[in-house]
């Protein structure tokens, strides 16, 4: 193993310091340029002017005290000090009542007074929803985060949540530590405000969405337009017949499509047996559906390049079966996570690529089945319901939102509300690009880099061709520092070529296997196309 590590370490790559990367308003969509919170009516507040106001510690090793001489806007605040081990948070607020179907905005101010033993990397808080009697569990919504850095400055933390139509037995706030390990705390909390937001004020922002660029002009009414055009298809049909390299690549896709022709898509009821028996393949995420979503575009592409009717029949069978699955994920994240992202990506591409080979009735059926589910994912993300709504360095956000955006771009001509979905997706990926580091590395390891980077680039390609917005570069033409250095990251973590096996070819740092999950050849080709010059 020492020989392997040495071989990796001497790769002659020198990365210069990354220039600042900034996007101007011309690369943002108008609906989400204004990020101010909508107005609301006060429901509950804690100003800690007189005491701790019934807040209570999570464990006996955390102490709460009233600090009369310290405050955010006036005297008095809540001081939280000590450590916790075995729980996920330090302190709870009293439970407050909420109305069924109503939306709420929560803000509090936090000041880090000192760093106790084992400080967390960030502090944040959550709104824990308590389900009505007889209902299991309750969702939790996380706020933005404050770094665990000693400062006299107060930091505002905010979140917004919507109460389910079935109602709740109340909501409580908790200062989170993000782990059950031993973590210390020494912070002050003040001016906790909870306001009820009028639904029409939220919807005003959601619906204030307009699109310009190719999707609203020369691409309107044109199919296919997502990743492929009629010119691309004509080129590929010729290339796979005349060029051995293209023929070899298409052989992989054809093999994948042939499997789908011979085998029916997974049966939902059979898969649910695994869930009832507690098998990993039947988990609440229903990750087996990712394979269904992934296969649909391959079958559709095989048809486009061969005109073999077997592939068209199989593509329809797999697509309509996926649309008929009762759920894409089970529980509070049903339809809001990875399974939904993969299926929406597959259905969106099939709808666009096979548009002229679908009957008018088939297109109508697809829209009727897919639009409510795409709308649900987009609007839930906008309303900050899924756990990933602010997880800008998390593959769950990238996959779910990119999949939804694929469907949105596919039906944008025929479904006016898809404009809001696209604006929401664009905002999330801009925030992702602004949050990513400048070293090209993934904190989750090589495997998750392959998974996540694919869906980031999927959206960036759609934004470029459909919106006319290049997010690979900033407003001054500066390459995105993280994306432009992805290839170097991949090279650094590759084992020497002579040691490659099917099960071992990369260094398994972080949450990562020793072999590839996705690609990476097609990812690296796209990066080389977008960034022909080294960083």
């Amino acid at each position: 193993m020492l020989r392997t590590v040495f071989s990796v370490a001497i790769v002659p790559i020198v990365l210069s310091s990354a220039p600042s990367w900034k996007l101007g308003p011309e690369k943002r969509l108008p609906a989400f340029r204004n990020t101010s919170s909508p107005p609301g009516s006060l429901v509950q507040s804690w100003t800690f002017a007189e005491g701790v106001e019934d807040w209570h510690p999570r464990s006996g090793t955390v102490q709460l005290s009233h600090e009369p001489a310290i405050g955010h806007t006036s005297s008095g605040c809540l001081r939280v000090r000590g450590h916790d081990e075995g729980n996920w948070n330090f302190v709870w607020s009293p439970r407050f009542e909420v109305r069924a179907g109503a939306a709420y905005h929560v803000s509090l101010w936090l000041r880090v007074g000192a760093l106790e033993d084992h400080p967390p990397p960030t502090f944040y808080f959550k709104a824990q929803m308590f389900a009505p009697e007889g209902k299991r569990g309750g969702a939790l919504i996380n706020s933005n985060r404050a770094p665990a850095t000693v400062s006299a400055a107060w930091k505002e933390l905010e979140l917004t949540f919507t109460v389910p139509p079935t109602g709740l037995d109340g909501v409580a706030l908790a200062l989170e530590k993000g782990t059950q390990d031993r973590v210390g705390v020494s912070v002050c909390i003040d001016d906790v405000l909870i306001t009820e937001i009028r639904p029409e004020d939220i919807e005003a922002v959601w619906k204030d969405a307009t699109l310009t660029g190719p999707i609203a002009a020369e691409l309107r009414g044109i199919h296919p337009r997502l990743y492929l055009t009629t010119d691309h298809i004509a080129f590929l049909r010729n290339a796979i017949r005349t060029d051995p390299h293209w023929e070899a690549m298409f052989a992989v896709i054809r093999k994948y499509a042939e499997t789908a022709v011979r085998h029916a898509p997974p049966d939902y009821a059979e898969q649910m047996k695994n869930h009832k028996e507690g098998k990993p393949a039947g988990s609440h995420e229903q990750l087996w559906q990712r394979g269904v979503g992934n296969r649909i575009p391959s079958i559709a592409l095989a048809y486009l390049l061969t005109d073999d009717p077997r592939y068209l029949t199989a593509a329809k069978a797999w697509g309509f079966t996926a649309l008929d699955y009762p759920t894409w994920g089970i529980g509070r994240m049903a339809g809001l996570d990875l399974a939904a992202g993969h299926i929406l990506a597959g259905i969106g591409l099939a709808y666009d690529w096979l548009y002229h080979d679908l009957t008018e009735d088939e297109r109508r059926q697809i829209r009727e089945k897919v639009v409510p589910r795409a709308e649900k994912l987009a609007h839930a993300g906008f309303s900050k319901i899924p756990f990933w709504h602010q997880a800008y360095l998390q593959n769950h956000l990238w996959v779910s939102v990119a999949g939804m955006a694929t469907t949105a771009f596919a039906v944008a001509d025929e479904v006016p509300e898809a404009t809001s979905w696209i604006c929401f997706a664009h905002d999330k990926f801009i925030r992702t690009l602004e949050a990513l580091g400048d070293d090209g590395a993934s904190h989750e390891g090589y495997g998750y880099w392959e998974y996540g980077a694919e869906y980031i680039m999927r959206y960036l390609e759609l934004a470029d061709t459909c919106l006319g917005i290049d997010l690979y570069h900033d407003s001054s033409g500066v390459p995105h520092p993280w994306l432009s250095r992805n290839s170097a990251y991949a090279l650094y973590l590759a084992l020497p070529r002579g040691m490659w096996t099917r099960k071992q070819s990369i260094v398994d740092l972080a949450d990562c296997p020793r072999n590839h999950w996705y690609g990476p050849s097609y990812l690296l080709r796209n990066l080389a196309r977008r960034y022909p010059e080294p960083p």
Side-chain angles (χ1 to χ4, degrees):
M1 187 60 192
L2 290 176
R3 175 184 169 191
T4 301
V5 173
F6 179 73
S7 299
V8 173
I10 62 172
V11 175
I13 300 175
V14 177
L15 297 179
S16 59
S17 59
S20 60
W21 192 84
K22 297 180 180 179
L23 294 181
E26 79 284 355
K27 297 212 174 187
R28 303 171 189 265
L29 296 178
F32 292 91
R33 289 178 187 165
N34 181 4
T35 58
S36 61
S37 300
S41 56
L42 183 64
V43 173
Q44 176 71 53
S45 68
W46 289 284
T47 59
F48 306 109
E50 303 295 332
V52 300
E53 301 190 22
D54 294 327
W55 285 55
H56 55 276
R58 186 67 175 84
S59 63
T61 52
V62 175
Q63 294 82 43
L64 306 187
S65 62
H66 177 238
E67 293 288 341
I70 303 174
H72 169 236
T73 56
S74 60
S75 61
C77 72
L78 172 67
R79 184 179 181 89
V80 183
R81 187 167 186 176
H83 73 272
D84 180 88
E85 186 172 8
N87 301 299
W88 290 94
N89 48 69
F90 297 110
V91 59
W92 280 94
S93 77
R95 194 179 300 192
F96 57 92
E97 295 183 358
V98 291
R99 293 191 308 110
Y104 295 86
H105 176 259
V106 184
S107 72
L108 66 74
W109 291 82
L110 188 84
R111 192 179 86 164
V112 180
L115 294 181
E116 302 291 318
D117 58 332
H118 305 289
T122 59
F123 291 103
Y124 62 103
F125 74 100
K126 74 178 178 186
Q128 175 71 58
M129 301 182 184
F130 294 92
E133 190 68 29
K135 303 272 185 170
R136 182 185 301 175
L140 56 88
I141 310 297
N142 292 333
S143 74
N144 58 318
R145 295 175 181 251
T149 304
V150 177
S151 173
W154 288 88
K155 168 76 173 180
E156 186 180 21
L157 303 181
E158 300 178 277
L159 61 81
T160 303
F161 66 91
T162 301
V163 179
T166 53
L168 295 169
D169 274 350
V171 175
L173 308 179
L175 180 65
E176 292 289 291
K177 56 205 267 293
T179 176
Q180 291 181 299
D181 296 339
R182 179 187 174 97
V183 174
V185 61
S186 180
V187 300
C188 292
I189 298 173
D190 203 4
D191 288 341
V192 183
L193 300 177
I194 302 159
T195 55
E196 182 176 341
I197 308 167
R198 296 185 306 170
E200 55 266 34
D201 291 330
I202 296 179
E203 290 303 305
V205 178
W206 172 248
K207 294 178 180 178
D208 182 23
T210 57
L211 296 179
T212 59
I215 193 71
E218 61 266 27
L219 286 182
R220 187 170 183 81
I222 301 298
H223 297 278
R225 62 188 177 210
L226 307 186
Y227 309 123
L228 292 175
T229 65
T230 53
D231 289 342
H232 289 140
I233 294 168
F235 168 83
L236 290 172
R237 288 171 71 102
N238 179 67
I240 63 174
R241 292 193 302 267
T242 59
D243 188 315
H245 297 290
W246 286 99
E247 183 182 11
M249 284 191 285
F250 178 62
V252 177
I253 294 173
R254 185 192 287 272
K255 181 178 179 181
Y256 207 51
E258 283 292 334
T259 301
V261 169
R262 294 193 304 270
H263 301 283
D267 180 75
Y268 187 89
E270 286 297 316
Q271 294 296 325
M272 284 302 292
K273 291 180 180 178
N274 291 331
H275 180 72
K276 293 177 181 178
E277 294 171 4
K279 295 180 180 178
S283 74
H284 69 282
E285 293 183 273
Q286 295 190 309
L287 294 182
W288 57 270
Q289 295 180 357
R290 292 192 296 186
V292 179
N294 292 349
R295 194 172 295 270
I296 294 170
S298 297
I299 315 168
L301 182 58
Y303 171 72
L304 289 179
L305 300 186
T306 65
D307 287 330
D308 187 331
R310 297 179 306 126
Y311 298 143
L312 179 60
T313 300
K316 291 181 180 182
W318 281 70
F320 279 105
T321 297
L323 288 171
D324 287 337
Y325 287 154
T327 59
W328 297 341
I330 301 170
R332 65 184 179 87
M333 290 298 289
L336 304 181
D337 205 16
L338 298 178
H342 281 259
I343 292 181
L344 287 170
I347 296 294
L349 288 181
Y351 185 86
D352 177 60
W353 292 356
L354 301 177
Y355 190 88
H356 299 294
D357 294 285
L358 297 168
T359 67
E360 183 176 345
D361 185 58
E362 286 172 333
R363 292 197 295 268
R364 177 189 57 78
Q365 289 183 54
I366 292 172
R367 291 194 302 273
E368 288 178 351
K369 292 181 178 182
V370 78
V371 165
R373 299 176 102 159
E375 170 81 13
K376 176 185 176 180
L377 190 151
H379 200 276
F382 172 77
S383 302
K384 303 182 180 180
I385 292 174
F387 75 90
W388 48 253
H389 76 275
Q390 287 182 317
Y392 299 113
L393 301 181
Q394 236 278 359
N395 65 82
H396 286 254
L397 185 154
W398 306 336
V399 173
S400 303
V401 175
M404 177 276 301
T406 306
T407 289
F409 280 115
V411 303
D413 316 57
E414 303 151 291
V415 181
E417 54 264 43
T419 297
S420 293
W421 315 345
I422 293 169
C423 286
F424 163 73
H426 195 76
D427 176 70
K428 289 302 182 187
F429 279 104
I430 280 182
R431 292 172 184 266
T432 289
L433 293 172
E434 291 174 334
L436 288 164
D438 61 4
D439 59 0
S442 168
H443 59 287
E444 292 189 287
Y446 198 119
Y448 277 107
W449 165 72
E450 292 174 325
Y451 188 33
E454 172 176 338
Y455 281 84
I456 291 174
M457 287 190 278
R458 281 190 183 208
Y459 181 78
L460 267 55
E461 292 297 321
L462 294 173
D464 192 16
T465 56
C466 295
L467 302 175
I469 298 176
D470 171 19
L471 294 178
Y472 287 96
H473 302 82
D474 73 0
S475 296
S476 300
V478 175
H480 188 271
W482 187 80
L483 285 167
S484 62
R485 291 175 171 181
N486 274 175
S487 55
Y489 170 71
L491 182 58
Y492 268 123
L493 291 188
L495 296 181
R497 178 65 182 88
M499 299 184 65
W500 287 2
T501 67
R502 180 175 292 274
K503 294 184 177 181
Q504 179 169 289
S505 58
I506 55 177
V507 178
D508 56 340
L509 297 177
D511 187 7
C512 175
R514 294 185 179 181
N515 59 312
H516 298 288
W517 279 346
Y518 295 87
S521 57
Y522 61 89
L523 302 174
L524 297 174
R525 286 192 182 99
N526 190 55
L527 290 168
R529 178 175 69 96
R530 289 294 183 174
Y531 304 114
E533 299 297 326

